[in-house]
């Protein structure tokens, strides 16, 4: 790898470029060839630059290195983007002494004693920044300015009674943030697995970063705007893989559906009530005594037939898999783990024993490839009896045996090189490596696109698994809080995300469930989930009015299935989130920078849900352009605030004029029919063009170009639809042109025909 080196009497700074927008700064003599975080997939590359003493000039920005190795970065207009005021990083003498006679740090890491590497700290001036965003899963407003937080994957309800903004640590740790104002943006990604701390001008005038260990290794990501930064971060750490289309519909879950009879009854009620749904989950009670990869032989004795019946009704079946393996000599999974030395060790080198649902439990050491392969293969029997997807829970790691609710920092893993890795270092990576194990194992067993759902994650996990935001509660604050939380996850590279609709903990109510469903149908992961001994909250669990309203909005989700699938594809290629804050496309408008209760669904659909009880009016901000109410077709001028009404059965939903959308025909589940898609053109005076993608939605054949792409063009007063790529069977298409005070319809359109409007 080509690197630029700066030294002073105390330390060394290594600079590497990954493209013209991404530069890496690594302090110290040691540059890991592959960081244990597994976050970065991009390789260093050569770019054009000039170096003059302590300055580096690149195409997009300039770097100044001070004598103390602090950094200043300026754009080409000589505006300061980033300016360090202090760095604190010192390699422990124990390592310095050993490095004199060794080639790399790895050779001494086997003797880690949790204090080998000192904590690090970076302070930076706030120069132009009006907002900080990202850091993944955080409760609170979307703008992180004037807040402090830290990253340490945590079973939140193990340490507090309810998700709240005072709880800093959540299930996911992504040490990446974006800084911005109306015209400038950059991102910072710290490639570390240690506990990290961030203070965005709360306790000082600076931005402060700290870590409990590791090396100071971070990436500066330049972008002309926020979208550029997110796309470059996605290039660095990877994007989601294109999911199965039949898993982006409505999903129903509960802790627990207790037997085959209840599970099938729930499925039948969806079909009887004509409520679309595609996925049903089984929580921990399907197992025998909570032992993973087992089936309760009494309550689920006819599991295989149950799965067949669900499949006949169009449902896919997902089961929960926790990492805690019950300590039981006659239990095959435990015996194999012990025999092959597959479990995490305590400080004395014995297999660590904690407590989760099965009682005494041990935990697979997913850092090792052979353990990941073993665990992946264990999914085989469940797949054979009809399971379609897998839900990884309790993988922070949750441990009920101590006050921290996780494993002690002095318990350890052993990596593929035989090196001890203490929990203090690798705790935040457990969910990530479990996701890899599950994804790769299921992919090999199914030869279909796997569906994996995880609670714990780190940077890069988006490449393997969807994510939900854990055990929220049936309170309005959590409905409201889900919007900025999911938006910041999207800005952090994680698009396939959702929160439990209706709330998980406690009892929901009619109004809350309706309003949450109106919001939740736009979650990329759209799942209703509730806790044991709480009120049932399926769409049909209340009165007829509630059922009909919820049905209306779930059907709306299904009208947008192929539109949504195209957003997933865009995210898989470019890294754009599916849910986007308004400033993602309207950064120049400062009014959009702190809006927490609206979002964009793609680029041109704006959602403004009601998020407070007993309200039927709210303030809506519409950014630049003309916006059309999706239901009433009323037109509004952008750059304005409006007070708008939405009764309990109504949602404030807007389409930007000048957009082209597609809508599916009615269905009870995805692939029930693929008869017809309607193309909607919300015409303005401009020429318009949009492409749409279609494939089989299940296999990996799209990688062999087995897909089709159509192009919709409006030029002056005519429309043409053409095939760009024609390698997959396309549905039939209708065309609707929305013009002011007029709607023009064409049925069964023919490709390459000209339709005058």
């Amino acid at each position: 790898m080509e690197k630029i080196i700066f030294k002073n009497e105390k330390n060394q700074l290594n600079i590497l470029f990954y493209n013209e927008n991404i530069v890496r700064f690594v302090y110290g003599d040691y540059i890991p060839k592959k960081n244990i975080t597994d976050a970065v997939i991009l390789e260093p590359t050569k770019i054009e630059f000039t170096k003059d003493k302590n300055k580096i000039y690149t195409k997009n920005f300039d770097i100044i290195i001070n004598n103390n190795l602090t950094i200043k970065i300026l754009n080409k207009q000589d505006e300061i983007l980033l300016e360090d005021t202090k760095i604190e990083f010192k390699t422990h003498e124990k390592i310095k002494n050993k490095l004199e006679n060794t080639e790399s740090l790895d050779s001494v890491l086997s003797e880690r004693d949790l204090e080998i590497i000192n904590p690090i700290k970076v302070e930076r001036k706030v120069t132009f920044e009006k907002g900080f965003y990202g850091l993944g899963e955080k409760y609170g407003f979307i703008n992180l300015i004037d807040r402090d937080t830290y990253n340490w994957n945590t079973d939140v309800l193990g340490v507090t009674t309810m998700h709240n903004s005072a709880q800093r640590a959540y299930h996911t740790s992504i040490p990446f943030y974006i800084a911005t104002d109306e015209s400038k943006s950059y991102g910072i990604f710290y490639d570390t697995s240690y506990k990290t701390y961030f203070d965005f001008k709360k306790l000082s005038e600076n931005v402060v970063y700290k870590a409990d260990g590791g090396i100071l290794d971070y990436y500066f990501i330049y972008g002309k705007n926020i979208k550029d930064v997110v796309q470059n971060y996605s290039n660095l750490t990877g994007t989601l893989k294109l999911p199965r289309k039949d898993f982006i519909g409505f999903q129903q879950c509960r802790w627990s559906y207790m037997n085959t009879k209840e599970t099938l009854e729930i499925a039948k009620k969806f079909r009887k009530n004509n409520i679309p749904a595609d996925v049903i989950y089984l929580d921990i009670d399907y197992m025998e005594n909570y032992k993973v990869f087992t089936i309760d032989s009494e309550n689920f004795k006819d599991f295989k037939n149950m799965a067949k019946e669900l499949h006949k009704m169009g449902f896919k079946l997902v089961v929960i898999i926790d990492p805690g393996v019950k300590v039981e000599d006659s239990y095959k999974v435990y015996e194999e783990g012990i025999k092959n030395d597959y479990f995490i060790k305590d400080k004395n080198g014995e297999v660590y024993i904690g407590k989760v649902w099965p009682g005494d439990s041990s935990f697979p050491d997913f850092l090792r490839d052979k353990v990941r392969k073993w665990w992946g293969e264990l999914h085989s029997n469940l797949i054979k009896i009809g399971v379609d997807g897998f839900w990884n829970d309790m993988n922070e790691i949750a441990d009920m045996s101590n006050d921290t609710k996780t494993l002690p920092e002095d318990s350890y893993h052993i990596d593929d090189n035989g090196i001890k890795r203490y929990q203090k270092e690798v705790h935040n990576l457990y969910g990530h490596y479990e996701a890899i194990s599950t994804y790769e194992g299921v992919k090999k067993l199914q030869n279909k696109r796997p569906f994996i759902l995880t609670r714990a994650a780190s940077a890069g996990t988006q490449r393997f698994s969807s994510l939900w935001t854990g055990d929220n509660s049936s309170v309005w604050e959590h409905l409201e809080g889900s919007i900025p939380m999911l938006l910041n996850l999207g800005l952090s590279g994680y698009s396939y995300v959702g929160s439990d609709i209706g709330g998980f903990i406690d009892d929901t109510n009619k109004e809350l469930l309706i309003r949450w469903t109106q919001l939740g149908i736009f979650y990329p992961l759209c799942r209703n989930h509730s806790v044991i001994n709480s009120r049932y909250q399926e769409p049909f669990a209340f009165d007829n009015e509630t059922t009909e309203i919820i049905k209306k909005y779930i059907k709306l989700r299904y009208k947008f299935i192929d539109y949504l699938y195209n957003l997933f594809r865009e995210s898989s290629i470019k890294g754009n989130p599916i849910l986007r804050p308004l400033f993602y496309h309207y950064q120049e408008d400062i009014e959009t920078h702190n809006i927490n209760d609206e979002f964009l669904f793609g680029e041109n659909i704006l959602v403004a849900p009601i998020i407070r009880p007993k309200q039927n009016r709210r303030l809506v901000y519409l950014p630049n352009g003309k916006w059309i109410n999706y239901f009433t077709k009323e037109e509004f001028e952008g750059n304005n605030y409006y007070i708008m009404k939405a009764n309990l059965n109504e949602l404030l939903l807007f389409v930007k004029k000048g957009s082209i959308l597609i809508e599916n025909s009615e269905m009870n589940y995805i692939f029930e029919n693929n008869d017809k898609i309607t193309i909607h053109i919300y015409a303005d005076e401009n020429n318009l063009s949009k492409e749409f993608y279609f494939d089989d939605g299940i296999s990996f054949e799209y990688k062999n170009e087995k897909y089709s792409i159509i192009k919709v063009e409006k030029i002056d007063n005519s429309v043409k639809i053409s095939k760009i790529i024609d390698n997959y069977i396309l549905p039939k298409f209708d065309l609707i042109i929305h013009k002011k005070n007029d709607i023009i319809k064409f049925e069964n359109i023919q490709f390459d025909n000209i339709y005058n409007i």
Side-chain angles (χ1 to χ4, degrees):
M1 64 180 81
E2 183 178 358
K3 60 185 177 183
I4 307 167
I5 297 175
F6 290 87
K7 289 185 177 182
N8 62 20
E9 66 280 3
K10 293 182 179 180
N11 218 321
Q12 176 173 311
L13 170 61
N14 309 277
I15 300 176
L16 301 94
F17 289 96
Y18 285 69
N19 60 34
E20 291 182 333
N21 298 302
I22 301 174
V23 58
R24 179 184 180 189
F25 300 98
V26 189
Y27 286 83
D29 298 332
Y30 172 69
I31 303 178
K33 292 180 180 178
K34 180 173 175 57
N35 198 312
I36 195 171
T37 61
D38 188 50
V40 172
I41 62 170
L42 206 60
E43 294 292 332
T45 189
K46 294 181 179 180
I47 70 163
E48 291 186 8
F49 67 87
T50 57
K51 182 175 178 290
D52 180 14
K53 296 180 181 178
N54 68 325
K55 297 179 181 179
I56 301 171
Y57 301 95
T58 76
K59 175 183 176 182
N60 292 325
F61 53 85
D62 302 329
I63 305 169
I64 300 173
I65 312 300
N66 298 311
N67 290 334
N68 61 358
L69 302 185
T70 56
I71 293 165
K72 181 188 290 188
I73 299 178
L74 301 89
N75 63 18
K76 288 304 182 179
Q77 291 72 46
D78 285 331
E79 297 171 308
I80 296 173
L81 298 177
L82 179 147
E83 184 174 4
D84 295 343
T85 60
K86 181 190 296 185
I87 57 169
E88 295 179 9
F89 172 80
K90 183 174 71 174
T91 304
H92 197 283
E93 290 300 318
K94 195 173 191 178
I95 281 185
K96 280 189 176 181
N97 295 336
K98 294 204 171 193
L99 278 176
E100 292 176 2
N101 300 310
T102 57
E103 294 181 359
S104 74
L105 184 63
D106 282 342
S107 61
V108 300
L109 291 182
S110 59
E111 300 185 20
R112 289 174 182 226
D113 58 6
L114 304 185
E115 295 180 356
I116 283 182
I117 301 176
N118 289 342
I120 59 180
K121 182 178 181 180
V122 179
E123 293 190 25
R124 294 195 174 98
K125 288 183 180 179
V126 176
T127 56
F128 72 92
E129 301 93 330
K130 295 182 179 178
F132 298 92
Y133 306 91
L135 288 189
E137 182 191 16
K138 298 296 178 186
Y139 189 97
F141 297 120
I142 188 169
N143 192 342
L144 300 169
I145 200 164
D146 299 324
R147 289 172 58 188
D148 67 322
T149 189
Y150 67 92
N151 287 335
W152 185 249
N153 287 4
T154 300
D155 175 12
V156 178
L157 290 197
V159 298
T160 188
T161 57
M162 181 183 290
H163 292 191
N164 63 85
S165 58
Q167 172 64 31
R168 269 66 165 177
Y170 274 76
H171 316 90
T172 296
S173 295
I174 303 176
F176 166 70
Y177 69 84
I178 300 168
T180 190
D181 67 0
E182 298 97 318
S183 61
K184 297 181 292 298
S185 299
Y186 68 83
I188 297 290
F189 171 58
Y190 291 98
D191 194 7
T192 181
S193 54
Y194 284 88
K195 183 184 289 186
T196 54
Y197 307 80
F198 294 85
D199 181 348
F200 296 101
K201 246 188 84 175
K202 179 180 179 181
L203 301 176
S204 75
E205 290 302 308
N206 296 326
V207 173
V208 180
Y209 162 80
K210 295 188 291 185
D212 277 354
I215 60 175
L216 180 52
D217 182 357
Y218 72 91
Y219 296 77
F220 171 85
I221 302 171
Y222 172 81
K224 294 180 180 178
N225 50 50
I226 292 168
K227 183 166 69 171
D228 285 349
V229 174
V230 173
Q231 290 179 352
N232 278 305
Y233 173 74
S234 298
N235 287 336
L236 184 68
T237 62
T239 63
L240 63 85
K241 293 178 174 65
L242 188 62
R244 279 178 60 165
K245 188 191 288 188
D246 53 350
F247 276 87
I248 66 173
F250 185 80
Q251 305 186 358
Q252 184 60 54
C253 187
R254 180 173 172 83
W255 176 25
S256 285
Y257 298 126
M258 301 300 295
N259 50 55
T260 56
K261 180 181 178 182
E262 183 180 21
T263 306
L264 289 171
E265 284 177 350
I266 292 294
K268 290 173 182 176
K269 286 182 179 179
F270 272 97
R271 299 298 176 243
K272 180 181 178 181
N273 286 281
N274 192 29
I275 300 172
D278 266 272
V279 180
I280 284 184
Y281 286 72
L282 294 178
D283 211 315
I284 56 176
D285 294 287
Y286 80 90
M287 305 178 201
E288 176 190 321
N289 298 322
Y290 307 132
K291 293 185 288 187
V292 289
F293 304 110
T294 67
I295 301 294
D296 182 333
S297 59
E298 291 187 15
N299 292 316
F300 289 90
K301 60 184 177 182
D302 48 356
F303 189 101
K304 190 172 184 178
N305 287 330
M306 176 197 70
K308 286 181 179 178
E309 288 299 311
L310 289 172
H311 292 157
K312 286 179 183 177
M313 289 185 279
F315 284 96
K316 276 63 63 181
L317 179 61
V318 175
V319 298
I320 195 169
I321 299 290
D322 291 339
V325 175
K326 183 175 177 62
V327 176
E328 182 178 283
D329 289 340
S330 60
Y331 173 33
K332 183 181 177 182
V333 178
Y334 176 71
E335 287 184 335
E336 287 182 357
I338 290 293
K339 178 182 177 181
N340 295 290
D341 194 24
Y342 285 164
F343 294 126
I344 296 171
K345 302 294 183 63
D346 66 18
K347 63 181 180 180
N348 299 314
E350 303 295 329
V351 172
Y352 178 82
I353 298 176
K355 285 189 184 293
V356 280
W357 303 120
D360 285 353
S361 301
S362 295
F363 304 91
D365 183 356
F366 292 121
L367 276 191
R368 280 177 280 165
D369 181 64
K370 63 182 179 181
V371 179
R372 294 196 297 273
K373 288 180 178 177
W374 166 69
W375 191 261
E377 291 166 357
L378 289 173
H379 294 76
S380 175
N381 287 335
L382 291 172
I383 290 172
K384 287 177 182 177
I385 61 175
V387 174
D388 302 286
F390 295 92
W391 168 25
N392 293 341
D393 195 9
M394 306 291 286
N395 53 348
E396 290 78 21
I397 310 167
D399 178 4
M400 304 172 186
S401 69
N402 60 69
D403 291 341
T404 68
K405 304 303 179 184
T406 192
L407 276 61
E409 290 189 359
D410 57 6
S411 60
Y412 65 88
H413 303 243
I414 299 175
D415 69 16
D416 285 326
N417 297 314
I419 297 170
K420 289 182 182 179
R421 302 283 189 174
Y422 286 96
Q423 274 291 303
K424 180 175 182 179
E425 178 189 13
V426 297
H427 167 88
N428 286 336
L429 303 179
Y430 195 79
H432 175 78
Y433 279 102
E434 184 189 20
I436 295 174
S437 169
T438 308
Y439 180 90
E440 296 295 345
V442 172
K443 179 183 177 183
K444 184 177 180 181
L445 293 165
Q446 282 186 330
N447 198 28
K448 299 176 182 177
R449 304 176 209 173
F451 173 78
I452 313 299
L453 176 63
T454 186
R455 189 169 76 178
S458 56
T461 312
Q462 70 271 8
R463 306 194 302 267
F464 306 100
S465 179
S466 60
L467 180 144
W468 99 106
T469 59
D471 299 339
N472 61 3
S473 297
S474 297
V475 295
W476 288 89
E477 292 87 346
H478 287 183
L479 181 161
E480 180 177 1
S482 73
I483 300 174
M485 181 178 280
L486 296 179
L487 292 177
N488 268 330
L489 275 163
L491 294 174
S492 306
Y494 229 122
S495 285
Y496 200 173
V497 291
S499 296
D500 287 339
I501 295 170
F504 175 69
I505 298 294
D506 212 345
D507 298 317
T508 195
N509 61 64
K510 169 180 174 176
E511 183 188 9
L512 179 59
L513 183 59
I514 288 172
R515 291 303 195 191
W516 210 322
T517 304
Q518 290 169 345
L519 164 62
I521 62 159
F522 298 99
Y523 293 165
L525 179 84
C526 179
R527 185 179 80 152
N528 176 313
H529 185 33
S530 57
V531 71
I532 194 168
N533 297 324
S534 71
R535 186 180 199 173
Y536 280 74
Q537 62 185 44
E538 292 77 13
F540 41 76
F542 289 82
D543 57 19
N544 185 64
E545 179 189 27
T546 306
T547 301
E548 290 302 311
I549 295 172
I550 290 176
K551 180 197 301 185
K552 170 185 174 181
Y553 287 99
I554 295 177
K555 285 189 172 186
L556 180 62
R557 166 86 173 196
Y558 279 74
K559 288 181 74 172
F560 286 135
I561 283 297
D562 269 288
Y563 171 82
L564 173 59
Y565 190 59
N566 273 263
L567 291 179
F568 270 106
R569 181 173 183 265
E570 178 187 341
S571 186
S572 73
I573 295 170
K574 297 181 179 179
N576 290 326
I578 293 166
L579 302 187
R580 306 171 188 177
L582 272 60
F583 60 74
Y584 198 77
H585 292 289
Y586 301 95
Q587 181 177 337
E588 71 284 353
D589 181 358
I590 194 64
E591 294 291 329
T592 66
H593 286 216
N594 293 286
I595 291 178
N596 294 275
D597 57 358
E598 301 176 26
F599 58 92
L600 296 169
F601 184 55
E603 183 173 357
N604 293 318
I605 294 179
L606 187 149
V607 186
I610 298 289
I611 57 173
R612 300 287 174 86
K614 310 304 177 189
Q615 289 189 357
N616 63 3
R617 287 177 175 81
R618 59 155 293 164
L619 187 67
V620 177
Y621 182 75
L622 298 176
N624 186 50
K626 290 181 170 62
W627 295 86
I628 299 167
N629 185 303
Y630 176 83
F631 299 104
T632 69
K633 308 308 177 190
E634 185 179 359
E635 188 174 304
F636 297 88
E637 192 69 40
N639 292 322
N640 282 299
Y641 286 94
Y642 298 90
I643 296 176
M644 296 186 179
K645 185 176 182 179
N647 292 322
L648 187 59
N649 65 339
E650 295 174 325
L651 170 69
L652 295 168
L653 182 65
F654 303 89
V655 178
K656 189 172 186 181
K657 197 169 184 180
S659 303
I660 303 176
L661 309 179
I662 53 174
E663 291 185 1
N664 293 79
S665 53
E666 190 167 309
M667 67 185 84
N668 284 307
Y669 56 91
I670 296 166
F671 301 137
E672 181 186 28
N673 63 68
N674 194 28
D675 293 341
K676 187 165 286 187
I677 285 178
T678 302
I679 300 167
H680 291 262
I681 300 179
Y682 292 82
D684 60 9
E685 65 279 3
N686 298 314
N687 292 336
L688 305 173
S689 178
K690 181 74 173 177
E691 294 182 358
F692 295 101
Y693 169 91
F694 301 89
D695 66 13
D696 66 23
I698 293 179
S699 76
F700 289 96
E701 282 299 298
Y702 70 93
K703 293 188 174 183
N704 298 320
E705 298 187 357
K706 296 293 178 65
Y707 58 82
S708 292
I709 295 176
I710 67 167
K711 185 175 185 179
V712 182
E713 295 176 282
K714 171 194 165 285
I715 301 175
D716 298 327
N717 290 313
S718 65
V719 173
K720 184 174 87 168
I721 295 98
S722 54
K723 297 178 184 178
I724 303 300
I725 298 175
D726 187 15
N727 295 330
Y728 177 74
I729 299 172
L730 287 164
K732 296 177 181 178
F733 293 91
D734 289 345
L735 174 64
I736 296 179
I737 313 296
H738 300 260
K739 301 179 77 173
K740 194 167 187 178
N741 303 318
D742 192 15
I743 292 179
I744 305 170
K745 297 182 180 180
F746 301 93
E747 292 186 350
N748 297 319
I749 63 100
Q750 301 297 310
F751 290 105
D752 297 320
N753 279 8
I754 302 297
Y755 294 88
N756 294 315
I757 59 173

